[in-house]
Amino acid sequence: MSEALDLPVGVSSAGSLSLLRAVRGHFAGFAASLAWLAFGLSCLWREDVGDWSRTQEVAIAALVIAGAVALAAVAAFWSRRVADTVQRRAPWLVLLGVWFAVWEVLTAKLGLLPLPFFPPPQAIVEVYTDDLPKLLDSVFASIKLQLGGYAIGALAGFVTGVLIGWSRAIGYWVHPVLRFIGPLPATAWLPIAFFAFPTSWSASTFLIALATGFPVTVLTWSGVASVSNAYYDVARTLGAKPSFLVFKVAIPAALPHVFVGLFMGLGASFAVLVVAEMMGVKSGLGWYLQWAQGWAAYANMYAALLVMSLLCSGAITALFKVRDRLLSWQKGVVKW
């Protein structure tokens, strides 16, 4: 039997696929809406076992999300773009709605998970509303420290990597130093850094730069050293000078390796940032985490961890944007 007999009269294959996508988006969207409706109703189910002031606001927000997702599921029948979006996002929305509902019931309603180690969702929301000034000050302090150390480490690592990859003489002297210092974790230099630098801020900046600089140096060096000699031969045939070979041939060809080092350095710098702020700096998210642990304010700790995760994810996304702009010929090869 032909495929045409399986389709309604007047309905093409493309049209039936679009209809199927809309139906899937429709039902997936309503499943997500029901999950968030369950979360909202769980907040209103009974009195909280503790004293949390944002339960009503959390319930209203969950019900608003449930309504918005339901409207999107209805709109999926008329918009293919909405149907695709709902179908792609719905599984995560279902999972999050169910997760928050179970979390709410086990903590705020039944108290099965011990406090203060397992605060309910509204306790996290309270941190963002009631303790926002202190949290924002910590965020801005961490961003300033992170950006300064990361920029210094990335620049120093890039320059060093280019020099090592281009000059054998420089590589002869610098390579052994890198083999000795590079494998050591940056946090191992904490005592020396805090002794050698005049302030804890400058010591922390050095440690972040050190954690960033090593992977950037190694990957930049590898990228420059792996450039095909044919590129240099062609450029020399056209009369290129050594400076042209470095800035117009070696560095552009090594940029994919450079960005790999930048991504690796970004992750390492965030880890060192937290440790440095916990050990010596009197501001920032690391300090905020230590303060929250000292006072057993675990809701504040979880809220700060969530902010740190968003900052790191945002920084990686921004770096990918820069990478896609500079390496447009590789756009879409690596996605985030």
Side-chain angles (χ1 to χ4, degrees):
M1 185 176 291
S2 65
E3 294 182 0
L5 297 178
D6 296 331
L7 299 175
V9 177
V11 179
S12 65
S13 177
S16 56
L17 288 176
S18 179
L19 179 62
L20 180 61
R21 185 181 294 106
V23 171
R24 287 178 177 176
H26 179 77
F27 286 107
F30 271 112
S33 178
L34 289 175
W36 282 89
L37 177 64
F39 173 43
L41 295 178
S42 69
C43 295
L44 303 175
W45 171 41
R46 55 185 292 181
E47 292 293 328
D48 294 339
V49 296
D51 184 18
W52 295 290
S53 60
R54 302 297 177 185
T55 302
Q56 296 292 330
E57 288 83 352
V58 172
I60 293 173
L63 295 177
V64 168
I65 293 175
V69 175
L71 290 176
V74 173
F77 274 120
W78 290 276
S79 173
R80 179 178 178 180
R81 183 177 180 181
V82 173
D84 291 340
T85 302
V86 171
Q87 185 178 355
R88 186 171 63 253
R89 305 294 185 187
W92 271 108
L93 289 173
V94 172
L95 178 62
L96 289 175
V98 173
W99 167 261
F100 283 130
V102 173
W103 181 9
E104 173 71 17
V105 171
L106 292 180
T107 54
K109 302 307 178 184
L110 301 180
L112 297 180
L113 298 178
L115 291 172
F117 305 103
F118 298 97
Q122 52 265 44
I124 309 296
V125 175
E126 280 187 24
V127 176
Y128 294 130
T129 57
D130 300 347
D131 201 34
L132 188 60
K134 181 185 294 184
L135 186 58
L136 286 179
D137 289 340
S138 300
V139 169
F140 291 141
S142 291
I143 290 176
K144 290 190 294 183
L145 182 59
Q146 168 73 14
L147 286 179
Y150 183 75
I152 294 172
L155 180 60
F158 175 74
V159 173
T160 306
V162 171
L163 293 176
I164 297 175
W166 182 257
S167 173
R168 290 185 178 181
I170 296 177
Y172 174 81
W173 293 104
V174 178
H175 185 207
V177 178
L178 284 178
R179 291 176 65 90
F180 175 73
I181 297 178
L184 298 177
T187 52
W189 297 90
L190 271 170
I192 298 176
F194 282 110
F195 173 79
F197 287 86
T199 63
S200 58
W201 182 274
S202 58
S204 299
T205 301
F206 165 76
L207 293 174
I208 294 172
L210 183 63
T212 304
F214 178 68
V216 175
T217 299
V218 172
L219 270 299
T220 303
W221 165 27
S222 174
V224 173
S226 62
V227 176
S228 175
N229 289 329
Y231 296 158
Y232 297 129
D233 294 338
V234 172
R236 290 191 185 99
T237 302
L238 298 175
K241 297 180 180 180
S243 59
F244 183 92
L245 296 178
V246 173
F247 292 103
K248 298 298 183 179
V249 179
I251 292 178
L255 280 180
H257 292 77
V258 174
F259 274 98
V260 174
L262 289 173
F263 284 119
M264 295 176 63
L266 185 62
S269 66
F270 265 97
V272 175
L273 170 70
V274 176
V275 176
E277 287 178 337
M278 283 183 171
M279 296 297 294
V281 180
K282 301 303 180 183
S283 60
L285 289 171
W287 169 85
Y288 189 90
L289 285 173
Q290 189 177 41
W291 168 83
Q293 291 177 0
W295 287 95
Y298 289 95
N300 297 69
M301 185 185 73
Y302 297 142
L305 289 174
L306 179 58
V307 171
M308 290 180 61
S309 176
L310 293 176
L311 286 177
C312 187
S313 178
I316 294 176
T317 301
L319 191 56
F320 262 109
K321 296 291 185 181
V322 175
R323 177 192 179 278
D324 289 341
R325 181 175 293 273
L326 293 179
L327 304 177
S328 57
W329 54 277
Q330 278 196 334
K331 186 175 183 180
V333 176
V334 180
K335 297 182 180 180
W336 170 252

